[in-house]
Amino acid sequence: MADDLPRRIVAEALGTALLVATVVGSGIMAARLTHDVAVSLLGNTLPTGAILVVLITILGPISGAHFNPAVTLVFALRREIEANAALAYIVAQLVGGIAGTLLAHAMFELPILEVSATVRTGAGQWIAEAVAAFGLIFTILAGLRFRSDAIPWLVGLYITAAYWFTASTSFANPAVAIARAFSNTFSGIRPVDLPGFIAAELIGALLAMALAGWLLAEPKPIRQMKAAE
């Protein structure tokens, strides 16, 4: 696995870059095509859910398709990824995410480097991000437990839904949040609002890991339970 680490890191950087380019790029396109915020959000939602299905399907066999420091943290705590690899994944995700934002700006002929002025703060936003991250991590862990072959669709559909049922439009990903701080567009977030988002995302992820560890545990055979009594 150590010899394979460079390929895994590149897969994480590439996947996160394409994910963020899709989020930011579709947001720019939607805002240019309509002044209706609801329609713009729909135009941002569908490409994001679709690209997640694609990226997890094609890059999952290489790196596991985390594309998210919260996911990597959970897998590291579960001892399903080495500590050095987890750190490398997170760095790759952060660099790839920012590169995705810059790529989206270049495609739409915007200033390459911007700082967002979009306000996203307050208790409702933070609760929404905790819920979004909780649901994402729980979806992944439950999917791995019961339907690992369906993970791409489960994650893509969950994020599509979470765009609409969470007040924050479901960032659920510290790397994506940081990358979106460099875009003063429909998808942006002020840098000053990042700490609250990231903290909420990590809390939601850890809560999901804790619940999944209990709820998704292998059931004990009846004989073993009786013997324990």
Side-chain angles (χ1 to χ4, degrees):
M1 293 295 287
D3 294 338
D4 214 29
L5 186 57
R7 292 175 64 247
R8 293 159 62 193
I9 292 171
V10 170
E12 284 298 303
L14 176 62
T16 312
L18 291 175
L19 171 59
V20 173
T22 301
V23 173
V24 175
S26 64
I28 296 169
M29 177 68 81
R32 287 185 177 183
L33 293 176
T34 179
H35 296 295
D36 187 320
V37 177
V39 174
S40 292
L41 181 60
L42 183 62
N44 198 200
T45 302
L46 297 179
T48 302
I51 199 65
L52 279 168
V53 175
V54 173
L55 293 175
I56 295 171
T57 299
I58 64 175
L59 296 177
I62 300 174
S63 68
H66 294 191
F67 314 143
N68 184 336
V71 174
T72 300
L73 174 63
V74 166
F75 277 81
L77 292 174
R78 287 165 57 93
R79 302 180 186 277
E80 295 179 22
I81 183 174
E82 316 90 329
N84 66 321
L87 180 60
Y89 268 40
I90 291 171
V91 172
Q93 291 156 3
L94 294 173
V95 172
I98 294 171
T101 293
L102 304 185
L103 177 61
H105 288 176
M107 288 192 291
F108 286 92
E109 299 183 345
L110 294 174
I112 299 299
L113 187 60
E114 296 180 329
V115 177
S116 178
T118 303
V119 178
R120 297 181 189 266
T121 189
Q125 295 281 305
W126 301 329
I127 293 170
E129 275 306 287
V131 169
F134 176 93
L136 174 62
I137 298 300
F138 194 84
T139 296
I140 292 170
L141 296 178
L144 290 172
R145 173 71 170 78
F146 299 118
R147 282 292 305 274
S148 59
D149 60 312
I151 288 290
W153 286 98
L154 292 173
V155 172
L157 289 172
Y158 173 77
I159 291 298
T160 299
Y163 254 85
W164 288 84
F165 81 76
T166 63
S168 61
T169 66
S170 183
F171 284 41
N173 184 331
V176 169
I178 291 170
R180 289 168 69 166
F182 291 92
S183 182
N184 192 27
T185 62
F186 181 82
S187 304
I189 175 175
R190 293 187 309 176
V192 71
D193 296 332
L194 284 175
F197 264 59
I198 293 172
E201 289 158 1
L202 295 178
I203 289 170
L206 294 175
L207 288 174
M209 182 186 74
L211 179 61
W214 171 73
L215 190 61
L216 304 177
E218 290 279 358
K220 293 182 179 180
I222 294 176
R223 287 184 180 178
Q224 185 177 344
M225 292 175 66
K226 288 184 176 179
E229 292 174 356

